[in-house]
């Protein structure tokens, strides 16, 4: 049997926009389109794609805005000259932790959608909640404590689901929906994640949740790859039926809907591969391999880890790996990132990145024993705030010299990443490499510190659309996985990453001693984990 060939479509339904990207059979990007919710769909009156409610904790998005945006993205692809009949397979990513509530009878409406009318008009009235919670929502503190208590504590929950209870995680959001709007919950036929919701629009039927996105819900046993009944029971009744089954991330769900065939010219043979979350999508887009670590250096810094054996902790998250069913991925987010670097640049380097780089080159690895922790706002990992400087004798000091301050900031940020990554099971292996992305990855001197702290080479990769690219890569892998091809074999034709720098000589010895000291000093000002 010949392998299907043709274009590949990747879609990303993020917080602020929908991106759609068409790649050729060699995974070269042919075209991409964007639909910005605020700009292109102003009638929904969103800011940053969301509605922030009066309590400042509740954050929602309109479901029909997402439906209309996807239709508009497909229209723009057609207008750009793409022949969608040449698309052999598609997949997508969606912002993790959002949820959609389909009303009783919605499945029949979705299955019978007519091409003569835009899908957002057809699906009016199909949702139990018109506004649904997204990852920015932090209104479920009560539900989080109840879930952890039901499972025997935060660590017990993390051991099963990969994370302690987080306010944005879907299980806790569902529990709030059940408590606050019981009639809406009772009228719900199916609960989708944002990813499986978007997949449903392409499939013309309810799409199953994949393992990787499903592991960001506080409901899935990450080792057994199934729902945990105790978690389900703690959140809402009849929840397993409303969530449906789970599938591996490379699963082919079926052909595209007749709506897409008739309205946009898709081939009826075009296959839909399970959609996943944006974080798993980014891991796929960066093409991580066993032993790799990816570091995104942006407004927030995010560390992605490929793990063989998970070690869930009270910080960070462990998810099922979207491109290798036997492996896991970990994610750690650091809030104080580029804005903090910019603040120190302005104060200590005359607002110049060149001067900032000079300061890094002028100071030795280890910074003469000076260590700094810089949290302009309350940090996620670890939960701490304030500036904490220590001299070589572990004494707190009020200030460093400018050049020392610059290195203390950068070293401190990367030491934190390594310490907390190791807490989740990361270990340096001979083949380990770091893939660096984001704005600061263009600064070679910053990357040199990163390489030195981890004692591994650093590569750079242009992944401005990593989640969307990852969706396209996963789509092709799903099409070919049945023939035994691994993800890495499928994406070998994609543009390669570029070597940026190797670790300096003797850096391993310097930072091995510094890591233990850094971790000890961190504990002197970090408060206890929340009960």
């Amino acid at each position: 049997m010949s392998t299907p060939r043709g274009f590949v479509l990747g879609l990303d339904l993020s917080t602020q926009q929908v991106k759609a990207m068409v790649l050729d059979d060699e995974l070269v990007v042919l075209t991409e389109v964007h639909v910005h919710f605020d700009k292109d769909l102003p009638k929904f009156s969103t800011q940053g794609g969301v509605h922030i409610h009066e309590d400042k904790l509740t954050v929602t998005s309109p479901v029909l805005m997402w439906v209309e945006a996807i239709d508009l993205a497909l229209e723009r692809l057609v207008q750009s000259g793409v022949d969608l009949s040449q698309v052999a397979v598609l997949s997508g990513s969606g912002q993790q932790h959002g949820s959609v509530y389909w009303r009783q009878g919605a499945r029949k409406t979705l299955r019978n959608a007519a091409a003569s009318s835009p899908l957002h008009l057809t699906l009016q009235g199909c949702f139990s909640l018109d506004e649904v919670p997204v990852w920015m929502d932090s209104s479920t503190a009560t539900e989080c404590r109840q879930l952890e208590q039901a499972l025997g504590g935060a660590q017990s929950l993390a051991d099963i689901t990969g994370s302690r209870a987080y306010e944005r995680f879907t299980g806790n959001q569902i529990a709030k929906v059940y408590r606050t709007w019981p009639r809406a919950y009772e009228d719900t036929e199916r609960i989708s994640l944002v990813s499986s919701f978007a997949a449903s629009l392409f499939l013309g039927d309810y799409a199953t949740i994949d393992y990787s996105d499903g592991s960001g819900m506080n409901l899935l046993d990450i080792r057994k790859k199934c729902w945990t009944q105790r978690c389900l029971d703690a959140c809402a009744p009849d929840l397993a039926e409303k969530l449906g089954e789970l599938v591996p991330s490379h699963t082919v769900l079926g052909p595209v809907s007749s709506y897409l065939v008739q309205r946009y010219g898709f081939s009826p043979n075009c296959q839909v591969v399970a959609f996943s979350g944006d974080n798993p999508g980014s891991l796929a887009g960066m093409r991580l391999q066993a032993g790799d670590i990816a570091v995104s250096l942006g407004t927030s810094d995010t560390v992605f880890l490929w793990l063989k054996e998970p070690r869930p902790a009270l910080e960070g998250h462990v998810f099922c790996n979207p491109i290798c069913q036997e492996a896991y991925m970990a994610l750690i987010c650091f809030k104080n990132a580029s804005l903090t670097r910019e603040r120190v640049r302005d104060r200590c380097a005359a607002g110049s990145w060149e001067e900032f780089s000079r300061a890094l080159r002028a100071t030795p690895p280890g910074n003469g024993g000076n260590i700094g922790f810089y949290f302009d706002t309350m940090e996620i990992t670890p939960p701490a705030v304030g500036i904490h400087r220590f001299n070589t004798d572990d004494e707190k000091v009020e200030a460093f010299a400018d050049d020392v301050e610059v290195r203390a900031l950068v070293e401190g940020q990367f030491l934190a990443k390594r310490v907390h990554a190791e807490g989740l099971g990361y270990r340096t292996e001979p083949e380990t490499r770091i893939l660096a992305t984001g704005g600061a990855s263009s600064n070679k001197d910053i990357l040199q510190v990163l390489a030195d702290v981890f004692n591994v080479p650093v590569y750079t990769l242009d992944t401005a659309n990593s989640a969307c690219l990852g969706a396209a890569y996963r789509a092709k892998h799903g099409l070919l996985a049945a023939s035994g091809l691994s993800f890495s074999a499928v994406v070998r034709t994609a543009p390669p990453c570029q070597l940026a720098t190797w670790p300096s000589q003797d850096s391993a010895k310097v930072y091995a001693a510094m890591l233990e000291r850094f971790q000890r000093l961190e504990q002197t000002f970090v408060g206890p984990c929340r009960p």
Side-chain angles (χ1 to χ4, degrees), residues 3 12 41 44 79 105 126 184 187 223 245 313 315 332 337 372 386 389 414 484 498 502 505:
T3 300
D12 177 34
L41 297 170
F44 291 100
Q79 291 166 2
C126 282
D187 192 35
R223 293 174 178 83
E245 299 296 325
E315 57 186 21
I332 315 172
R389 302 178 182 88
F414 293 151
Q498 302 296 320
W502 286 89
Q505 189 176 6

Side-chain angles (χ1 to χ4, degrees), residues 6-9 22 82-90 266-267 270:
F7 293 168
V8 180
L9 172 62
V22 176
V82 174
D83 182 0
L84 293 178
S85 71
Q86 298 301 305
V87 176
V89 64
L90 63 89
F266 279 90
S267 166
C270 176

Side-chain angles (χ1 to χ4, degrees), residues 460-516:
T460 56
L461 191 64
D462 181 10
T463 54
N465 297 305
S466 59
C468 199
L469 270 175
Y473 294 163
R474 288 197 316 99
K476 186 164 185 180
H477 178 228
L479 199 62
L480 301 176
S483 63
L485 283 178
S486 66
F487 180 85
S488 59
V490 169
V491 300
R492 68 183 185 279
T493 60
C497 55
Q498 302 296 320
L499 176 65
T501 186
W502 286 89
S504 304
Q505 189 176 6
D506 298 328
S507 63
K509 182 178 180 181
V510 171
Y511 289 109
M514 201 171 183
L515 279 165
E516 181 179 351

